[in-house]
Amino acid sequence: MTLVTAPLLLPTYDRAPVTFERGKGVWLVAEDGRRYLDFAAGVAVVGLGHCHPAPLAAAHRQLDQLWHASNLYWTSPMVALAERLSERFGGAEAFFCNSGTEAVEAALKYARRATGRHGVLALEGSFHGRTLGALAATGQASKRTPFEPLLPDVCFARMNDADSLRAAIRPETGIILVEPIQGEGGVHVATPAFLEAAAAVADETGALLCFDEVQTGCGRTGSFFAWEHAGVPPKLVTLAKGLANGLPIGCLLVADDVAGAFVPGDHGSTFGGNPVACAAACAVCDAIDTALLANVQEQGDRLVARLAELPAVVEVRGAGLLVGVELDRPTAPLIDACRDAGLLVLSAGERVLRLTPPLIVSDAEVGLALDVLVEVLG
Ligand code: PLP
């Protein structure tokens, strides 16, 4: 297998020794022809599976027509996507960008404009991205500390502890930023009661409640937005990963009742709303239907039920096809062993395995993955 070993890339990732060439559905094929069952899906991105025909055709059509015109003009895929997302949300305006961290940056700036307050209340253990604003709101000291000083007046409360949330709020807090399920932070699920409490605190204090659904959105948990399970709609939502099935896109949705705070010049992105990415994202939104969401629930339940029986497993958490398996041992060697056996999985912290397969994963593919996991964890 020929691998790139020269230091051509900054070493921001500890890459596994595999070079992938193509993918189809839940399968990836490496340079040496070896096939891998992909239960990482590009870190919860390729929801419809690799090279799904619908976004593929939509992107191809758009590539033949128009790649880029800038945000000085209108393009129809961007408008079509905003319409679909507004409908899914129940009335919202969209800002498009290129990644999750940019969507979070947009939310932080929007909340400042809308409330006139600069403070941020986020949660311990959270992950919101790598740019300086999103990093400042990330509740993991190991990621923040090397880059301090970051934004001032960012406070952290404990997940699923409404008293901690109330104690952490400040007069200057303009945004309460919550992942409905903390993905990178270990797959910790926010309870409906906690999300309700966050909405109540936001209402009482005039801060905007923002759900960071970069990882949980676009069907990953069995509903289009994860907050639908709890029935607690936020004022702001960030989306990215799964939205265009692997083409770069990010989005901030602003609920209609708090829209209108940005004026031209307040924010922007050269590539935001790119026609090819938006065309693919429209096809993704159209494919996330009741049948697909039912599959997410069914396959997720199967994984959880079987994994919970294994002796090395301390707890299985998550919703739909965002599954965290807390183990009694470090995950790193197990991830390598799974890969050697042809299964790609992720970690979320030192002792949590994370499974985020494509949402279209079949009974048979879940069975194959379980065979490997039972062998490796047994
Ligand atoms: N927010 C959440 C909840 C995420 O899980 C991530 C990435 O994992 C981000 C933000 C950052 O997204 P990106 O890597 O696209 O910038």
Side-chain angles (χ1 to χ4, degrees):
M1 190 185 305
T2 51
L3 286 171
V4 177
T5 50
L8 297 170
L9 301 176
L10 292 181
T12 52
Y13 286 90
D14 188 11
R15 292 186 167 83
V18 191
T19 302
F20 285 115
E21 268 190 0
R22 44 183 205 283
K24 187 82 192 143
V26 186
W27 295 89
L28 281 171
V29 183
E31 218 178 24
D32 61 0
R34 179 149 193 219
R35 296 173 81 229
Y36 292 81
L37 190 56
D38 185 7
F39 269 49
V43 194
V45 166
V46 190
L48 299 186
H50 298 282
C51 288
H52 186 281
L56 183 65
H60 271 169
R61 263 195 312 276
Q62 191 58 43
L63 273 170
D64 285 338
Q65 218 169 302
L66 178 69
W67 293 22
H68 178 80
S70 91
N71 279 305
L72 302 176
Y73 311 100
W74 296 91
T75 52
S76 52
M78 176 173 67
V79 176
L81 180 58
E83 278 169 1
R84 281 164 173 76
L85 294 174
S86 174
E87 197 178 314
R88 294 273 186 174
F89 182 88
E93 294 182 2
F95 169 79
F96 291 117
C97 48
N98 312 287
S99 66
T101 198
E102 285 175 67
V104 171
E105 293 294 334
L108 296 175
K109 280 182 72 176
Y110 190 86
R112 280 197 183 200
R113 262 302 203 202
T115 65
R117 305 185 206 157
H118 67 277
V120 176
L121 175 48
L123 298 183
E124 290 172 9
S126 62
F127 183 79
H128 297 294
R130 304 284 188 168
T131 54
L132 292 176
L135 184 61
T138 287
Q140 300 181 42
S142 61
K143 295 194 167 62
R144 268 203 330 271
T145 310
F147 299 98
E148 285 171 345
L150 296 165
L151 287 184
D153 297 315
V154 180
C155 301
F156 294 97
R158 279 186 300 280
M159 170 96 137
N160 291 338
D161 182 342
D163 292 340
S164 161
L165 195 77
R166 287 184 186 282
I169 198 107
R170 303 276 180 274
E172 68 272 12
T173 305
I175 186 168
I176 302 178
L177 189 54
V178 174
E179 292 162 90
I181 301 176
Q182 289 185 346
E184 304 295 315
V187 190
H188 295 285
V189 183
T191 61
F194 181 71
L195 297 180
E196 269 166 35
V201 171
D203 273 356
E204 287 157 23
T205 60
L208 296 184
L209 178 62
C210 177
F211 287 154
D212 182 347
E213 295 242 18
V214 163
Q215 187 152 164
T216 55
C218 305
R220 171 68 40 204
T221 69
S223 52
F224 189 85
F225 299 106
W227 57 261
E228 291 172 64
H229 296 294
V232 180
K235 298 299 185 193
L236 309 177
V237 186
T238 54
L239 292 172
K241 289 182 179 289
L243 186 53
N245 210 46
L247 288 181
I249 192 167
C251 175
L252 168 67
L253 289 177
V254 175
D256 280 344
D257 60 338
V258 294
F262 270 169
V263 296
D266 273 351
H267 201 48
S269 163
T270 294
F271 291 123
N274 172 267
V276 180
C278 286
C282 284
V284 170
C285 289
D286 294 345
I288 300 177
D289 58 11
T290 315
L292 183 70
L293 294 174
N295 188 60
V296 172
Q297 203 55 63
E298 190 186 326
Q299 303 304 341
D301 289 349
R302 279 185 65 208
L303 283 169
V304 170
R306 183 70 185 96
L307 291 167
E309 294 168 350
L310 301 179
V313 172
V314 176
E315 190 182 25
V316 186
R317 303 185 286 264
L321 287 171
L322 174 52
V323 178
V325 188
E326 185 164 338
L327 302 173
D328 62 3
R329 60 196 75 169
T331 55
L334 303 174
I335 289 173
D336 291 346
C338 283
R339 194 178 59 252
D340 289 347
L343 175 69
L344 304 179
V345 296
L346 302 163
S347 67
E350 206 205 328
R351 285 174 182 249
V352 179
L353 270 186
R354 187 171 29 145
L355 308 177
T356 58
L359 312 182
I360 47 118
V361 70
S362 68
D363 263 2
E365 288 155 344
V366 165
L368 284 175
L370 282 171
D371 287 347
V372 174
L373 288 164
V374 168
E375 178 75 25
V376 168
L377 299 180

